[in-house]
Amino acid sequence: MNKFLFIFFCFLLIILPNLVLGECTCDSDDLQDRDKSTALKYKLVATATILIAGAIGVCLPMLGKIIPALKPENNIFFIIKSYAAGVILATGFVHILPDAFENLTSPCLGENPWGKFPFSGFIAMVSAIGTLMVDTCATSYFSKKKLSAAPTTGDEEKVCEDVGVHTHATHGHAHPAVLADNASTSDLLRHRVISQVLELGIVVHSVIIGISLGASESPNTIRPLIAALTFHQFFEGMGLGGCISQAKFKARATALMVLFFSLTTPIGIGIGIGITNVYNESSPTALIVEGVFNSAAAGILVYMALVDLLAADFMNPKVQASSKLQLGVNISLLLGAGCMSLLAKWA
């Protein structure tokens, strides 16, 4: 799946700059405050701060071996992850989805078909359903593959089959070591699928926002985005880093996922800078491409935040057994979603 992420990332980098170069039919709103030299300085600052914030955010949860408090089994890990999940949830609902609605309902687009159907909500819904299907199918496929590859004999083979279909009523006795091993393997596979699907949704949005920021020549537009995106990348990185940490990838795969996340927005900004003179965010093609991809990204992130991050952690036996931890993760979730929502006032 890492290969798929790499191919998809390359596809975005190749196709998006070409698709957004279209004929302009609407005047841009920021013609009055264009300042290329000042805007370029802000873009360079944005590239550096977003890169550093993203790298620190995604690497922080992986320091459990050095900082015991950050180990996945500790309470503070659940609280930090809940805050990050709140940031991701607000990113989908408050930042990306409204942008998608704005793009696909723009007066620059024709009334037919864009004005006659809520494409943004529909694409987000289809994206969320598609993410669910990929999530379940990938988990099922890798679980079966892992199970078929495991050497089993006699009763152990039967127990493994029983674990695979969630029944345990054949022999009247169980093998705790085999059951524990299969449960552990299932959890590990689940975390790996979650981290890779989550990164896919993040990559889609990050490339688009990076290109938009890099192509803008308005300092007034870029300035608030620097703080908002730096905050967003840091805590979104923490959410992704927590998933990667629990997935226990090999060092090479972990490094690739960290690089993908850290570099996607800065690369998008670089592409935006390169196409500044020919890019127009108000062109019909740009609006459609950004609207469709933003809608899809919103669906992915909302699904991942609610189902794979929040529901999984909030229903964890450790959280369920502690009233204090339940209170902590709920407050942390509200703070993360609230802080990220507040940023929508400026960006």
Side-chain angles (χ1 to χ4, degrees), residues 85-236:
V87 170
I88 293 172
L89 186 63
T91 298
F93 271 127
V94 182
H95 289 262
I96 307 179
L97 197 56
D99 285 347
F101 273 101
E102 184 179 349
N103 289 334
L104 296 183
T105 58
S106 171
C108 298
L109 299 180
E111 178 67 18
N112 190 17
W114 305 105
K116 295 184 176 180
F117 187 80
F119 282 99
S120 300
F122 177 75
I123 295 170
M125 178 190 71
V126 172
S127 175
I129 293 172
T131 305
L132 169 66
M133 292 178 177
V134 170
D135 207 359
T136 53
C137 290
T139 303
S140 174
Y141 171 77
F142 287 118
S143 296
K144 290 177 182 176
K145 188 177 179 181
K146 191 77 175 178
L147 211 63
S148 63
T152 55
T153 56
D155 288 348
E156 288 185 359
E157 183 177 359
K158 185 62 182 173
V159 170
C160 287
E161 291 172 357
D162 289 344
V163 170
V165 296
H166 301 288
T167 61
H168 309 279
T170 326
H171 291 283
H173 68 277
H175 297 259
V178 176
L179 292 171
D181 183 61
N182 277 279
S184 177
T185 300
S186 178
D187 287 343
L188 192 62
L189 290 170
R190 186 90 187 100
H191 288 308
R192 290 184 175 181
V193 172
I194 288 171
S195 60
Q196 291 175 332
V197 175
L198 178 60
E199 181 146 14
L200 176 63
I202 292 171
V203 163
V204 171
H205 169 60
S206 295
V207 171
I208 293 172
I209 194 64
I211 291 175
S212 297
L213 188 151
S216 176
E217 294 181 348
S218 169
N220 292 337
T221 299
I222 299 171
R223 198 181 299 116
L225 280 175
I226 296 176
L229 292 179
T230 300
F231 176 89
H232 168 263
Q233 286 293 103
F234 178 77
F235 285 103
E236 195 173 57

